Amino acid sequence: MDQDLLLKAYRLMYSAKVMAEIYEANRSITKYVHSTSRGHEAIQLATAFQLQSFDWVSPYYRDESLLLGMGWTPYDLMLQLLTKADDPFTGGRSYYSHPNSRAADKPKIIHQSSATGMQAIPTTGVAQGLLYLEKINSDKLVKGINGELPVVICSLGDASITEGEVSEAFQFAVLKELPIIYLVQDNDWGISVTAEEGRAMDAYEYAEGFKGLNKIRVDGTDFFHSYDTMKKVVNHVREHRKPWLVHAKTSLLNHHTSGVRKEFYRSEEDLNKHAIGDPIVKLRAALLDVVNEDELNKMEEAVRKEITEQFDKAVSAKEPDPATVGDHVFAPTKIDEEGGERSPAGKEKVLMVDAALFAIRELMEEFPECVLYGQDVGKRLGGVFREAATLGEQFGDHRVFNTAVQEAYIIGSTVGMSAVGVKPIVEVQFADYIYPAFNQLVTEISKSNYLSCGKFPVSAIIRVPTGAYGGGGPYHSGCVETTLLSVKGIKIAYPSNAADMKGLMKAAFHDPNTVVMLEHKGLYWSKVGGTEDAKRVEPSKDYILPFGKGAVILEASKEAVDNGESACIITYGMGVYWAKAAAKKFNRQLEIIDLRTLFPLDEDLVFETVKKHGKCLVLTEEQQLNSFAEALAGRISNHCFQWLDAPVEVLGALNLPAVPLNTGLEYAMLPNADKISEIIKRLLAY
């Protein structure tokens, strides 16, 4: 092996060693929790040396040597360790060795969390996106100067392989033959849990169950073995586009983290056993056969001096400006005005389900990077509500396709797809099924733009059929908006008619952030009594409706308002139709606001309307207690207190754990016009 390469590897290994020692010696300064790569240096550097600037990699929290090998300096890493303003990854917002980067001269790194194993799905999404761009010959795909294709590395600890979401990633990778390498670093520990306690098999043995996943074992403490292995595997993936798992046996020579220290739970015997596998000791011994020891000593002295200086410089670096704490929650969108024709002359009314389908069809015709996937959306069925009917036939299986029952993968893969320039539209079949995907939605998607300081917004549309529609029962009728609204960093639309559906779908596509489209199943086909008006004239192809703009659905008469005999209903979704039915019992005394999007929310319209009438009902289909509707009522009370003539009322479904299957019981649980009328009568009596 080239001597210069060996000396570079040793210099970086020794750098990692010195860094760990300096961190340990300055624990009052290095106060934020961190892990180091001691014992893992050989496999990490061997991997880094194979990568090119157009490749993608997801390091995990012990991968500082991987980062050094990719070209990041100790000073760069120390800025993150100490949460400094110039931390090149997160601006002081996240932990050590939690990188993300679009640096032109280095492999690209998506944001990923500390949740072990969670990175497998987003990183597999990167490989999925790259393969799609490759298939359509997209100019978005960045290649090497000689046409070399990119590879993806997903780094994991062996204990994380027990996570169910890792199996979803493996399954998809082998099914679609993705160009990804799962690098599993096995040091026998999962914090204080030994391999024997925590898993029935190691990652290599586990990989046996995934037909088509190539696999290999390597001594991850031996730089020579690691380098040869990773060179072979990376070159194979670069050429043949098939997934691999590399199981690297390593040693854990330092603490699990600075806060969970080795002496808390590890025996002297265990520590001595791991010390035998120190990669630095092994490489130094090999180098002494070809390099004078004095030369190594001088290198070590120079490295220690350089890193000490870099640490002192990092300690003195400026802190983040507290005024920036709210930056990068969302990437800015250009869609802020309604545009196009909402009701073109001479056009037929369309069903809400078709309005969504037509919007996606138009988007897919115009944007080749747009893909649609989820359970049963492929051409054989086109969605259980026919919400994707004909799209599969028109655009092909590579753009519209079914997935397995893998809600976590469906949603989490959008992180990687978006990062490489693909625009995914994905579907969770029923709102009740979104919970398995919450790890990805909360831990990866919602934080990506914020923790990458704007480098990795996740631009995706997540379609979620929601709501009760007459006998759907406890696992097909739920509403989830309150749960979703507790997640910061995503946007939520809830259209109540076909025109809004199309306009919001177009806005969602052009939004650089993640949008959840809550699509009410009871309004899709206007089969539920009183919802005929959900059908609207189909808007023009260029119609777009910005988020955060509510609509006045029904106005109260001026006379009723002037006489103090009016009230307003703030609602959305099916609530619009219950409110309109109730309004028929009153003589133009009600004003109805359709929120259309729940985040961002049109607070200006809500507050202006409440101030105008002084009496307000917030109406929701969700179970009322602790709901979004109750939170909104509190906000209204706070902002409009001096204009209120009565307490703000809230009406939602009964506070039951689920929607009953029997239609009579379902009706008893949900709001209806009669229940609304009783509250309105009480409000008007004030």
Side-chain angles (χ1 to χ4, degrees), residues 238-380:
R238 206 178 291 288
E239 182 178 353
H240 297 287
R241 321 308 281 157
K242 300 289 176 64
W244 276 79
L245 181 139
V246 177
H247 178 253
K249 199 68 178 175
T250 60
S251 294
L252 181 59
L253 302 182
N254 209 344
H255 312 292
H256 168 69
T257 67
S258 56
V260 182
R261 306 180 65 75
K262 58 189 179 184
E263 60 267 20
F264 291 175
Y265 59 92
R266 294 178 67 185
S267 67
E268 195 69 29
E269 180 184 1
D270 175 69
L271 292 169
N272 290 336
K273 174 182 152 189
H274 278 249
I276 295 171
D278 190 335
I280 300 177
V281 173
K282 288 185 174 184
L283 184 55
R284 195 178 201 277
L287 275 170
L288 288 176
D289 291 337
V290 293
V291 178
N292 184 282
E293 187 168 16
D294 287 343
E295 186 178 338
L296 285 184
N297 290 338
K298 288 178 182 177
M299 175 195 284
E300 291 169 355
E301 184 180 346
V303 166
R304 188 170 292 277
K305 180 175 183 294
E306 178 183 319
I307 288 178
T308 300
E309 290 172 352
Q310 290 189 43
F311 182 74
D312 291 342
K313 181 182 175 184
V315 170
S316 300
K318 63 183 178 182
E319 296 290 326
D321 181 353
T324 66
V325 70
D327 292 353
H328 303 299
V329 176
F330 291 103
T333 178
K334 297 177 181 177
I335 308 302
D336 55 9
E337 295 290 338
E338 188 171 2
E341 277 194 88
R342 182 176 173 89
S343 300
K347 278 211 170 187
E348 298 282 329
K349 287 187 175 182
V350 297
L351 294 165
M352 201 164 101
V353 70
D354 288 339
L357 186 149
F358 298 157
I360 294 172
R361 176 186 296 157
E362 291 169 357
L363 290 166
M364 296 190 80
E365 287 172 341
E366 185 175 356
F367 300 99
E369 65 270 26
C370 179
V371 297
L372 170 67
Y373 56 97
Q375 295 168 37
D376 298 303
V377 302
K379 63 186 177 185
R380 192 175 295 113

Side-chain angles (χ1 to χ4, degrees), residues 132 135-136 176 368 370-372 392 395-401:
Y132 174 72
K135 284 182 176 178
I136 66 170
K176 302 294 185 180
C370 179
V371 297
L372 170 67
F395 298 105
D397 294 338
H398 66 300
R399 294 189 68 189
V400 180
F401 57 90

Side-chain angles (χ1 to χ4, degrees), residues 43 184 212 447 601:
I43 186 61
V184 181
K447 296 176 175 61
L601 183 71

Side-chain angles (χ1 to χ4, degrees), residues 40 60 156-163 184-206 217 247-250 252 274:
H40 292 238
Y60 87 120
L156 300 148
D158 194 66
S160 71
I161 301 303
T162 58
E163 282 279 0
V184 181
Q185 301 175 56
D186 184 1
N187 61 30
D188 283 329
W189 287 97
I191 308 185
S192 69
V193 179
T194 63
E196 292 75 17
E197 286 178 285
R199 47 199 188 271
M201 64 199 79
D202 66 24
Y204 183 89
E205 295 162 333
Y206 186 59
R217 291 189 188 274
H247 178 253
K249 199 68 178 175
T250 60
L252 181 59
H274 278 249

Side-chain angles (χ1 to χ4, degrees), residues 85 168 243 249 373 422 430 538 615:
E168 292 193 21
K249 199 68 178 175
Y373 56 97
V422 181
F430 290 88
E538 183 192 355
K615 307 176 189 71

Side-chain angles (χ1 to χ4, degrees), residues 549-562:
K549 303 290 185 183
V552 179
I553 297 299
L554 184 69
E555 288 190 82
S557 69
K558 184 176 184 303
E559 182 182 5
V561 175
D562 291 345

